[in-house]
Amino acid sequence: MTVPYLSLAIWVPIFGGLLTLFAGKDRNAPVARIIALLTALAGFLITIPLYTGFDTTQANMQFLEVLPWVQYFNVSYALGVDGISMPFVILNSFITIFVVVAGWEVIQEKVAQYMAAFLIMSGLTNGIFSALDGVLFYVFFEAALIPMYLIIGIWGGPNRVYAALKFFLYTLLGSLLMLVAFIYLFQHSGGSFSILDWHAAPLSMREQSWIFFAFLASFAVKVPMWPVHTWLPDAHVEAPTGGSVVLAAIALKLGAYGFLRFSLPIVPDASQYFAPLMITLSLIAVIYIGFVALVQTDMKKLVAYSSISHMGFATLGFFMFNQLGIEGALVQMISHGFVSGAMFLCIGVLYDRVHSRQIADYGGVVNTMPKFAAFFLLFAMANAGLPATSGFVGEFMVVLGAVKYNFWIGFAAATTLILGAAYTLWMYKRVVFGPVGNHHVAELKDLNAREFLFLAVLALCVLGFGLYPLPLTEVMHATVDELLRHVANSKL
Amino acid sequence: MEFQIPNFAPAAAEIFVAAMALVLLMVAAFARPGGGRCAAFWVSQITLLVAAVLSLPVDWSAGVWEALSNSEGGFAMWLLSWLASGKVTFTFGLSFLSDPLGGMLKSLVCLAVMAVLLYGRRYLNDRKLETPEYYVVAICATLGMLVLISASSLLTIYMGLELLSLSSYALVAADRDNPRATEAAMKYFVLGALASGLLLYGISMVYGATGTLDIIEVARGLYEQQVNRTVLLFGLVFVVAGIAFKLGVVPFHMWIPDVYHGAPTSVTLLISTAPKLAAFAMAFRLLALGMWDLAPQWQKMLMIAAVASIVLGNLAAIAQTNLKRMLAYSGISHMGFMLLGLMAAKGSPHDLFNAYASSLFYVVIYVLTTLASFGILLMMSREGFEAENIDDFRGLNRRNSWWAAMMAIVMLSTAGLPFFVGFFSKFFVLQAVLSAGHLPLAVLAVLMSLVGAFFYLRIVKVMYFDEPTDDTPVRASRGFGLVLSSNVLAVAVLGIMPGWLMNFCVLILRSSFG
């Protein structure tokens, strides 16, 4: 009998979260923390066989699990991963550990609910990445909004209610249109909700265009693409550190993943037709949002805008329809998961001590926190795309792909290397270097063991994938090949 | 004409409830002043339970155990098909119909009223409103609903409807010293009487056009094209108006917010739940059964009513600060959604059953979630304090995280978010609407659900993000808490396993129409 790894990856965190909720009342927060940490670790260990047991030569879905769910509508509980989704399942489970550890001391209020929300969210996110049934995907996709809404709203900053609601309604609007598209596809694919059946469903250009825009409404908000990105800075600024990490490292990837799983294969002709539009929007995100990031005075907002800019790179890579572009975009997304997560954790480290995110409130941090400054520098460099960090690999591949597609697009995309360096390093300079800015900075204590540990692990990941990205690209290769072959075949 | 003794068996549940209403009346008459409440409560609960069993759409004559041993597809499948095995029987001429659909709805009505009486008991007691007479009237209202569901003649329908309505008017006015309640009762009565008048006028036209009051005969007359369609169409308009009033859809929704708001919450709970099941049956019998050949006409009317209800219900709910009013407007929009399912019935038999089943599923789930939401309001109220404003839920998570979670589940389900069953009820209706080819309607419906999500989320926001202003502990007695929690958890569990209920709805409809 085969072990249902994917089901475990989904349900272990969810049940662990519920257990945390019931075991940890406000009195016994330590119990809640320990259960949460054990669940997160178990959740990560479960996903390791997904990598070790993965057959990199195959392009089709692996670790399949299919059970009937709502038989009347042919909805099934179908799970499976390919080279595109598998790394994200592992990334998500991995990041969850950091989220739990990052909230260890900082969160003192409703600890059990905090931990439970993140664990449940992690399970649901694994569900999104591994669902092979449209309804199942949608159910996970929507349900994951609920814990995030609560996380921002309960543990967030002063303007949290506005941010939480904006986040929720923006994302819900897109998903609802996608739902209509799903039902439409159900009726035009011979009554099936299987995503793989939809890949093969014949659709006219008119149908494809409508469906493309319904998907775009949902995924563009999630990515987020310009001009529907405005929820992200609000949500990031108000979310607690853990929330920001999950948003940046995981939630943004859902939209991009949606393009690969739904838009490109289901409506290939519309995707090709509207590619110039998508490329334009992506370039606007890369360049314009890069400039916006430059003028931010709030560190979290700056990193939030830099995330939008980096995700613009990912969508740019997808819509050039070549191997380098798509693989580069995927590498970029994984790397961004580590780097942006690490950046938010670094800002969290500062925020926990000074309770300010304003760049102006810092200065000369290196004098009091040398170890922290070293880690922060590494992550800032990775964010700017320095060679030998994971940030470089993805960006370089996408730029190569873009140049192949069209020189000027590649040229425009490459400006991100300059812009990224500008806003990240300028921020780094103002926060870390110079004379000690004020008495808060003078009283700072350097990293404690817990913080050192999680930053060190992330630093290893960033450097590791920067120097040797093969383990990552190798699992994607066959799937991306197959995807490109599929997209090249017109459905008309 | 020779007199025949009619077959009383199909009406067993109604006859039993009617008899027990008289027993209750005796309890009320002979109890010492101020007493008899407890006895009346338990007698009503037992009455309803027995009626629920009596009306189960089960073929009792079939050998249960043999069937069980022969069944294929496992126990669950067998149970569902057994529960839908009732026969279609007419009695009292053609004016009374017993079929699986009616049986299922009647059982659900009885169960819903049982929950209503249980949830409302402490609330009524705190306000000195719990009298045996209250239970008498509630049981009479139930009888009205049962008759309405089983009715297959226009007059029987009218009789059931009036019994239900008159009892409801009396219940709304139960708190007779409260000016808001009496005002609500007056409004309800005046508008209700107007709607009854419209319905009666419509019935008279239908009678004029077809020469019969029996729904089956009306349908036959229409099918054989022996009727004056113009007169019948006029009649249809009035009949639809009567149905729309009972369901509370635009433009006959005006009474809903005032009555829900003004009535004691326990009565609001009664009015907002079980009668919707009965109204569904009425709509189904009159339109889908009796006037099927006029479907293009009534479907257009329902479409307009549905769209207007969904838009107005959701938009008006945003502005409410009173939770009862907000739930009232949300109820209007939900009934609109339910009508979308009815209106999407066309095409092959499979599509027809699909559309009707989605609508049936929707109304059942609506009743289940509404029981829970008003139940929580009743639980939060205490002596001298009405929990009815949204602000009363402020910081509930800090006061009692269990009930905050329960309320959050109910609100998220009503908003149509997965993993709660509200998502699937919307999903099934949308699916039916799309398969009937109404793409713009589906898009409008989902956009309005987005608006709806805003105000349901506001409740979650108030409970979780705000500081409490009131530190009184939230308590429910053990029995009440247990039933209410299982009611809410049913919403969550059905959200994970919605398939069997949908199968059951289809099965019920199939065995009702062979």
Side-chain angles (χ1 to χ4, degrees):
Chain A
M1 191 194 136
T2 52
V3 184
Y5 288 113
L6 287 173
S7 282
L8 286 174
I10 295 169
W11 297 106
V12 164
I14 292 182
F15 282 108
L18 292 177
L19 187 69
T20 316
L21 208 52
F22 286 113
K25 294 269 184 256
D26 282 345
R27 280 176 264 69
N28 42 4
V31 179
R33 291 194 185 106
I34 299 218
I35 297 180
L37 182 62
L38 290 178
T39 310
L41 284 171
F44 174 58
L45 290 179
I46 290 162
T47 57
I48 291 181
L50 292 181
Y51 186 82
T52 53
F54 192 83
D55 182 353
T56 53
T57 56
Q58 278 196 10
N60 45 1
M61 293 290 169
Q62 306 186 26
F63 301 99
L64 280 175
E65 293 170 37
V66 182
L67 290 169
W69 185 24
V70 183
Q71 275 166 316
Y72 187 74
F73 290 111
N74 277 331
V75 175
S76 55
Y77 175 80
L79 301 175
V81 285
D82 59 6
I84 294 173
S85 48
M86 188 271 286
F88 289 107
V89 173
I90 300 179
L91 175 72
N92 173 40
S93 306
F94 183 63
I95 292 291
T96 305
I97 304 175
F98 292 90
V99 171
V100 169
V101 177
W104 201 260
E105 289 153 8
V106 188
I107 300 295
Q108 290 295 343
E109 212 181 311
K110 297 271 175 202
V111 177
Q113 289 187 359
Y114 180 85
M115 298 294 179
F118 277 110
L119 290 174
I120 291 174
M121 170 109 172
S122 159
L124 294 174
T125 310
N126 280 343
I128 302 172
F129 284 125
S130 44
L132 291 184
D133 181 279
V135 176
L136 191 67
F137 174 86
Y138 183 82
V139 163
F140 283 125
F141 198 70
E142 287 277 87
L145 292 181
I146 301 169
M148 200 63 211
Y149 173 71
L150 294 176
I151 289 165
I152 299 175
I154 301 181
W155 294 277
N159 204 11
R160 59 207 157 92
V161 175
Y162 168 78
L165 204 59
K166 192 170 178 184
F167 159 76
F168 199 104
L169 293 181
Y170 255 69
T171 25
L172 186 63
L173 170 66
S175 337
L176 284 169
L177 293 175
M178 178 175 76
L179 180 67
V180 176
F182 278 6
I183 299 176
Y184 188 88
L185 279 169
F186 164 71
Q187 281 157 356
H188 291 80
S189 64
S192 165
F193 271 112
S194 159
I195 296 172
L196 300 179
D197 288 350
W198 290 351
H199 286 188
L203 293 164
S204 71
M205 190 61 196
R206 196 180 130 83
E207 287 170 314
Q208 287 198 30
S209 309
W210 283 110
I211 294 173
F212 180 81
F213 280 104
F215 286 159
L216 181 63
S218 174
F219 301 135
V221 170
K222 263 282 202 280
V223 167
M225 296 178 74
W226 185 87
V228 285
H229 63 282
T230 58
W231 63 270
L232 186 76
D234 286 321
H236 262 310
V237 169
E238 300 303 335
T241 304
S244 292
V245 173
V246 170
L247 265 179
I250 310 298
L252 303 192
K253 311 301 180 292
L254 296 174
Y257 169 75
F259 280 122
L260 282 192
R261 178 67 77 234
F262 292 91
S263 302
L264 293 189
I266 295 177
V267 288
D269 304 296
S271 300
Q272 307 253 20
Y273 183 77
F274 291 110
L277 171 74
M278 300 300 292
I279 290 175
T280 313
L281 291 180
S282 306
L283 283 179
I284 293 177
V286 169
I287 298 166
Y288 164 71
I289 299 293
F291 278 113
V292 173
L294 207 51
V295 298
Q296 296 305 314
T297 56
D298 179 312
M299 286 191 278
K300 262 188 157 179
K301 263 205 164 138
L302 190 146
V303 182
Y305 280 112
S306 107
S307 294
I308 302 172
S309 170
H310 282 111
M311 289 309 293
F313 236 76
T315 45
L316 178 69
F318 292 160
F319 283 89
M320 289 177 313
F321 303 102
N322 59 37
Q323 185 101 22
L324 269 174
I326 294 183
E327 278 183 22
L330 285 168
V331 173
Q332 162 81 347
M333 280 157 67
I334 300 276
S335 147
H336 179 254
F338 293 122
V339 175
S340 67
M343 288 295 278
F344 279 116
L345 285 171
C346 285
I347 296 171
V349 165
L350 287 177
Y351 183 79
D352 294 343
R353 288 166 170 72
V354 181
H355 294 285
S356 167
R357 296 178 307 256
Q358 296 301 317
I359 296 174
D361 288 346
Y362 295 88
V365 171
V366 68
N367 299 307
T368 44
M369 301 177 76
K371 278 187 263 176
F372 169 77
F375 280 121
F376 198 14
L377 180 64
L378 173 69
F379 298 130
M381 288 298 186
N383 201 40
L386 182 81
T389 62
S390 63
F392 173 71
V393 183
E395 286 186 9
F396 187 61
M397 285 166 80
V398 174
V399 171
L400 280 184
V403 170
K404 236 172 153 182
Y405 183 81
N406 177 323
F407 173 76
W408 290 107
I409 292 175
F411 179 79
T415 55
T416 189
L417 293 166
I418 301 164
L419 278 172
Y423 57 71
T424 319
L425 297 183
W426 191 35
M427 177 205 43
Y428 185 79
K429 182 225 139 199
R430 284 179 289 167
V431 170
V432 177
F433 293 143
V436 172
N438 54 42
H439 67 101
H440 287 302
V441 176
E443 288 159 11
L444 284 176
K445 285 196 182 61
D446 208 347
L447 299 175
N448 63 26
R450 177 180 61 90
E451 291 162 340
F452 188 86
L453 186 72
F454 66 64
L455 290 182
V457 173
L458 281 175
L460 281 180
C461 295
V462 169
L463 281 176
F465 284 119
L467 294 170
Y468 189 62
L470 188 69
L472 209 54
T473 48
E474 143 192 281
V475 293
M476 298 166 179
H477 220 69
T479 315
V480 173
D481 253 356
E482 175 58 35
L483 176 71
L484 283 169
R485 232 193 322 275
H486 179 89
V487 175
N489 283 333
S490 169
K491 278 189 173 186
L492 298 176
Chain B
M1 199 169 121
E2 198 181 338
F3 180 75
Q4 281 182 327
I5 297 181
N7 177 9
F8 289 109
E14 283 83 355
I15 294 170
F16 176 74
V17 172
M20 290 309 280
L22 297 179
V23 172
L24 271 173
L25 205 53
M26 290 300 115
V27 172
F30 288 102
R32 61 193 156 70
R37 295 192 302 254
C38 199
F41 173 76
W42 286 109
V43 170
S44 342
Q45 290 288 23
I46 293 168
T47 307
L48 291 167
L49 185 63
V50 173
V53 174
L54 280 179
S55 41
L56 276 182
V58 166
D59 186 6
W60 296 104
S61 60
V64 172
W65 299 115
E66 293 154 46
L68 178 55
S69 55
N70 295 335
S71 70
E72 285 172 23
F75 177 70
M77 265 322 286
W78 171 81
L79 188 69
L80 289 188
S81 48
W82 182 66
L83 275 176
S85 65
K87 298 259 185 312
V88 181
T89 336
F90 284 93
T91 185
F92 308 125
L94 286 174
S95 63
F96 192 99
L97 165 67
S98 160
D99 64 355
L101 174 68
M104 172 195 175
L105 288 173
K106 284 196 285 183
S107 294
L108 291 175
V109 161
C110 292
L111 293 177
V113 177
M114 279 176 83
V116 165
L117 295 184
L118 174 70
Y119 293 171
R121 195 175 178 207
R122 192 188 68 181
Y123 176 92
L124 289 168
N125 217 329
D126 287 345
R127 281 156 191 72
K128 313 267 180 296
L129 293 175
E130 195 195 16
T131 55
E133 287 81 5
Y134 174 84
Y135 293 108
V136 176
V137 182
I139 292 294
C140 284
T142 315
L143 179 61
M145 293 181 236
L146 299 187
V147 171
L148 184 54
I149 293 171
S150 308
S152 68
S153 131
L154 299 171
L155 271 190
T156 329
I157 285 184
Y158 187 72
M159 195 172 79
L161 187 69
E162 280 305 280
L163 186 52
L164 166 62
S165 306
L166 286 171
S167 314
S168 314
Y169 307 147
L171 283 173
V172 172
D175 192 3
R176 62 179 177 195
D177 298 328
N178 180 345
R180 219 171 56 193
T182 40
E183 187 198 326
M186 272 314 285
K187 269 184 191 156
Y188 191 17
F189 175 71
V190 172
L191 288 174
L194 183 68
S196 296
L198 289 180
L199 182 67
L200 211 49
Y201 191 49
I203 287 175
S204 70
M205 283 191 174
V206 173
Y207 182 71
T210 60
T212 175
L213 285 170
D214 296 324
I215 288 179
I216 295 295
E217 293 295 323
V218 172
R220 180 176 305 153
L222 259 174
Y223 181 70
E224 290 166 0
Q225 312 225 321
Q226 295 162 340
V227 296
N228 183 338
R229 284 178 83 97
T230 321
V231 178
L232 198 60
L233 267 180
F234 262 107
L236 177 67
V237 173
F238 290 107
V239 168
V240 169
I243 295 171
F245 179 83
K246 210 60 224 165
L247 284 171
V249 291
V250 178
F252 302 96
H253 65 286
M254 268 81 108
W255 62 280
I256 295 247
D258 291 332
V259 173
Y260 280 26
H261 182 191
T265 312
S266 60
V267 176
T268 310
L269 176 63
L270 179 64
I271 299 177
S272 59
T273 52
K276 306 291 182 200
L277 292 168
F280 171 82
M282 174 179 159
F284 190 79
R285 303 245 193 261
L286 279 173
L287 301 178
L289 205 57
M291 313 231 188
W292 176 240
D293 288 276
L294 292 179
Q297 280 81 16
W298 59 255
Q299 285 181 344
K300 259 179 226 141
M301 295 183 213
L302 290 192
M303 190 198 293
I304 294 167
V307 168
S309 305
I310 293 173
V311 172
L312 183 129
N314 279 315
L315 292 181
I318 294 179
Q320 307 305 321
T321 55
N322 181 294
L323 194 52
K324 280 162 83 177
R325 285 189 93 83
M326 192 201 97
L327 288 172
Y329 281 109
S330 112
I332 295 174
S333 77
H334 282 290
M335 285 301 110
F337 243 100
M338 193 275 280
L339 285 188
L340 279 186
L342 279 184
M343 150 251 107
K346 58 174 75 159
S348 69
H350 176 266
D351 286 346
L352 274 186
F353 283 124
N354 189 357
Y356 290 141
S358 72
S359 189
L360 178 61
F361 187 93
Y362 201 95
V363 74
V364 170
I365 295 305
Y366 171 75
V367 169
L368 185 73
T369 31
T370 310
L371 276 175
S373 54
F374 279 113
I376 293 174
L377 274 183
L378 286 168
M379 194 238 2
M380 300 268 298
S381 302
R382 51 179 190 272
E383 206 167 341
F385 173 72
E386 290 276 346
E388 57 171 27
N389 288 316
I390 292 177
D391 283 347
D392 297 334
F393 281 79
R394 220 166 253 282
L396 186 60
N397 185 35
R398 279 166 208 275
R399 290 166 65 194
N400 189 323
S401 53
W402 174 259
W403 289 113
M406 293 292 113
M407 187 67 179
I409 291 180
V410 175
M411 285 298 122
L412 294 172
S413 170
T414 335
L417 285 171
F419 276 90
F420 307 111
V421 69
F423 163 69
F424 284 98
S425 55
K426 285 215 164 76
F427 172 69
F428 293 153
V429 167
L430 281 179
Q431 180 273 339
V433 169
L434 276 176
S435 80
H438 299 293
L439 186 60
L441 266 187
V443 172
L444 179 84
V446 297
L447 290 182
M448 282 296 142
S449 312
L450 181 74
V451 176
F454 170 75
F455 56 81
Y456 298 118
L457 278 178
R458 197 171 56 178
I459 310 288
V460 178
K461 172 235 154 195
V462 165
M463 289 192 302
Y464 280 88
F465 306 169
D466 291 355
E467 295 294 325
T469 46
D470 169 7
D471 287 327
T472 330
V474 179
R475 274 202 207 96
S477 68
R478 185 166 294 171
F480 181 17
L482 202 66
V483 176
L484 188 53
S485 302
S486 6
N487 185 341
V488 177
L489 293 177
V491 170
V493 171
L494 273 174
I496 297 172
M497 302 186 294
W500 68 268
L501 185 58
M502 187 64 191
N503 274 341
F504 186 59
C505 288
V506 176
L507 205 60
I508 282 278
L509 285 164
R510 275 186 193 280
S511 58
S512 297
F513 298 94

